[in-house]
Amino acid sequence: MLMAKPLGKIESVILGMFFGLLPPVFCLLTTLVITDVLFGAEVFGPWFLLSLVPGIIIDCLFLKKWVRKAYQINNKTLAAIYLFYSIVALGMGMGVPIFNFALGITAGVYAARRTHFAGSDEERCKQYFKKTAVFSAVVMVLMCCLITLWAIAGQMIGARYETPFLSFTFTVPVFFAVVFTGGAVLVLLQYWLTRAAARVAFKLWR
C-alpha cells in the first residue's frame, strides 16, 4: 500500500504514541514476569527504570520509520500488536474489557485511514472493514476465554453474592450461562463498534 500524502503533525504524534509505547511496555512486562518467576515480584522495583531502557533505545532507532510507514505494516504484524495491546488493556481493566472496546474503535479508525491512504475503492474498503471487525471480535473471544479462566482460578464458581436487589450463588450452570451470554454480548458489541468506527471515519475522510 502506498500513501497518498504525508502524515499531518497531530496524526504523527498519535501514531508515535501508539507504536512508541509498544517496546517499553513489552520490555517492562517481560522484566516483571521474569523477576516474579525467578525472584518474586518484590524485587522488581530496582529493575523498573532499567527495564524501560531497551524499549527506549528501540524507539530511538525505529520509531520515525514506523510512523512514516504506519499504514504499510503487514497484517500479521498488526495482528500481533493488536493482540498484545488487547492483553494489556484487559489487565488494565482488571478483567473488565472496557479498554478493549476503545482498542476496537481504534482498529476501525486505523482501517479507514489505511484504505484512505491506499486509495482503495468503496467495495474494497467495506471488505477490509468487515475483516477488521471480524478480527477484533475473534480477539474479544480470546479475551473472554482469559476472563473465564481468571474467574475459575479465582474460585468464582460456588461463591455467593449479595446485592440490594438480588442474592445468588454462582453454581456451574449459572456461571456458564453468564459466561456464554455475556461473552456473546461483548463479542457482538466489539464487532459492531469496530465496523461502525471504520465506516464513520471513512465518511469523514472520503
Side-chain angles (χ1 to χ4, degrees):
M1 291 187 178
L2 298 176
M3 289 190 178
K5 57 183 179 179
L7 294 171
K9 290 184 179 180
I10 296 178
E11 187 170 10
S12 295
V13 171
I14 294 173
L15 290 170
M17 292 176 62
F18 183 82
F19 291 110
L21 283 173
L22 186 61
V25 171
F26 179 81
C27 292
L28 178 67
L29 293 179
T30 301
T31 303
L32 175 60
V33 171
I34 293 175
T35 54
D36 185 32
V37 171
L38 296 180
F39 311 107
E42 62 275 2
V43 304
F44 176 67
W47 292 92
F48 175 76
L49 293 178
L50 188 61
S51 68
L52 298 175
V53 174
I56 294 173
I57 293 175
I58 292 172
D59 278 342
C60 291
L61 294 174
F62 301 107
L63 185 55
K64 286 185 178 180
K65 180 181 179 181
W66 292 343
V67 172
R68 188 170 64 251
K69 297 186 176 182
Y71 298 113
Q72 298 171 270
I73 301 174
N74 67 70
N75 290 328
K76 290 183 179 179
T77 301
L78 288 173
I81 293 172
Y82 186 89
L83 183 59
F84 174 76
Y85 269 130
S86 293
I87 295 173
V88 173
L90 188 64
M92 290 175 60
M94 299 297 292
V96 180
I98 184 67
F99 297 113
N100 295 78
F101 291 129
L103 196 57
I105 294 172
T106 301
V109 174
Y110 174 88
R113 200 63 173 154
R114 184 181 176 103
T115 54
H116 171 76
F117 275 111
S120 303
D121 59 52
E122 188 169 351
E123 186 59 33
R124 287 189 178 183
C125 289
K126 289 181 179 179
Q127 292 176 0
Y128 189 67
F129 298 162
K130 183 177 180 180
K131 289 180 180 179
T132 302
V134 168
F135 175 75
S136 70
V138 169
V139 173
M140 180 59 80
V141 171
L142 296 178
M143 296 304 105
C144 288
C145 291
L146 289 178
I147 294 171
T148 302
L149 292 175
W150 193 346
I152 293 175
Q155 300 181 338
M156 181 175 287
I157 297 177
R160 183 167 181 78
Y161 290 85
E162 301 284 345
T163 69
F165 307 101
L166 182 65
S167 298
F168 63 95
T169 299
F170 261 120
T171 61
V172 172
V174 171
F175 176 79
F176 283 102
V178 172
V179 166
F180 286 115
T181 303
V185 171
L186 293 175
V187 171
L188 291 174
L189 181 58
Q190 181 73 309
Y191 176 87
W192 181 83
L193 285 173
T194 304
R195 198 168 183 181
R199 287 177 172 177
V200 171
F202 175 74
K203 290 180 179 179
L204 291 175
W205 286 312
R206 189 175 180 181

